[in-house]
Amino acid sequence: MGQYERRYLQVDAEFLPDGKVLPKVLYWENEDGTVLPFPIDRVLDIERAACLKAGGLGLRYRCLIHGKQRELFLQEDNRWFVAVRVGTHK
């Protein structure tokens, strides 16, 4: 298993009356600078957790994106990140 780091992303989210925050779209920037929107099909669960691959702590959102399960984290400073392998982005 390789090394990972946090990659911070722009995320569109919905703020519900009960205080929950639900991510709706994440934006991935490619190496050439193009930004691709990825709609989140469904949030499977939300829990406070550490990111074991890249470090960091916050709310872990297990999401379905294009039919695949992914983890998206919301830090206490309101920044969103995913864990990516070192060397897979600029």
Side-chain angles (χ1 to χ4, degrees), residues 15-83:
F15 294 80
L16 301 178
D18 65 2
K20 285 184 184 172
V21 178
L22 295 178
K24 294 297 184 180
V25 180
L26 68 82
Y27 297 90
W28 186 266
E29 185 175 346
N30 286 325
E31 289 182 16
D32 65 3
T34 58
V35 177
L36 301 173
F38 285 91
I40 295 170
D41 303 324
R42 194 170 83 195
V43 174
L44 302 172
D45 69 89
I46 305 166
E47 65 181 336
R48 182 163 300 284
C51 177
L52 300 178
K53 291 179 180 177
L57 180 66
L59 292 178
R60 179 180 62 206
Y61 290 77
R62 290 185 194 201
C63 303
L64 280 180
I65 301 172
H66 288 277
K68 294 187 178 187
Q69 187 172 318
R70 302 286 184 218
E71 291 183 346
L72 177 63
F73 290 85
L74 177 59
Q75 295 182 158
E76 289 188 14
D77 64 0
N78 293 320
R79 294 193 300 162
W80 295 90
F81 75 88
V82 293

